[in-house]
């Protein structure tokens, strides 16, 4: 069973920083962040954390099916104690809705 955490808050309330901090706090764990706007890499650069071997930031493919395939591939290699993070969850919801509308209604 995996733990799940949902971070919510106003813009600039350090949600992305909290995700990046997981790699610092849990160096024995892999941390993978799916990031649709490159905010994680900006935080990493600002803090000088580019050398964290356990942190991977992945761009989100605009094609929903390609993103889902990438998500499943990442999920399959993570073990207990690792972290899979979706930064800016609202963007993923929008992409899912857009995909559904295109798939069901063709537009």
């Amino acid at each position: 069973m995996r733990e799940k955490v949902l971070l919510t808050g106003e813009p600039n309330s350090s949600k992305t920083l909290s995700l990046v901090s997981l790699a610092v706090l849990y160096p024995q764990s892999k941390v993978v962040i799916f990031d649709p706007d490159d905010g994680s890499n900006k935080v990493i650069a600002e803090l000088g954390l580019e050398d964290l071997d356990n942190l991977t930031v992945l761009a989100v493919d605009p094609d929903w099916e390609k993103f889902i395939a990438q998500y499943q591939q990442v999920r399959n290699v993570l073990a207990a104690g690792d972290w899979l993070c979706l930064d800016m969850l609202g963007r993923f919801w929008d992409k899912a809705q857009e995909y559904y509308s295109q798939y069901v209604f063709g537009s």
Side-chain angles (χ1 to χ4, degrees):
M1 175 108 131
R2 293 187 185 255
E3 290 185 58
K4 295 162 186 73
V5 178
L6 178 61
L7 298 176
T8 63
E10 297 297 320
N12 299 315
S13 61
S14 300
K15 296 178 297 295
T16 301
L17 174 61
S18 296
L19 297 179
V20 171
S21 296
L22 290 171
V24 175
L25 295 169
Y26 300 98
Q28 73 286 1
S29 300
K30 293 178 190 170
V31 177
V32 178
I33 301 173
F34 280 101
D35 187 351
D37 78 343
D38 204 35
S40 299
N41 286 322
K42 292 174 189 170
V43 169
I44 291 165
E46 287 173 8
L47 298 176
L49 298 174
E50 294 90 353
D51 294 332
L52 287 173
D53 293 333
N54 64 329
L55 176 60
T56 303
V57 177
L58 299 172
V60 177
D61 195 302
D63 181 298
W64 183 253
E65 289 178 346
K66 288 180 183 176
F67 163 69
I68 291 300
Q70 184 182 30
Y71 166 81
Q72 290 172 335
Q73 183 179 23
V74 168
R75 244 185 99 200
N76 289 334
V77 299
L78 294 179
D82 292 340
W83 294 86
L84 175 60
C85 308
L86 304 175
D87 199 7
M88 302 186 70
L89 190 57
R91 295 258 182 100
F92 294 93
W93 177 254
D94 292 343
K95 286 181 175 296
Q97 294 301 306
E98 180 181 317
Y99 174 78
Y100 176 81
S101 294
Q102 296 229 348
Y103 183 78
V104 172
F105 303 111
S107 64

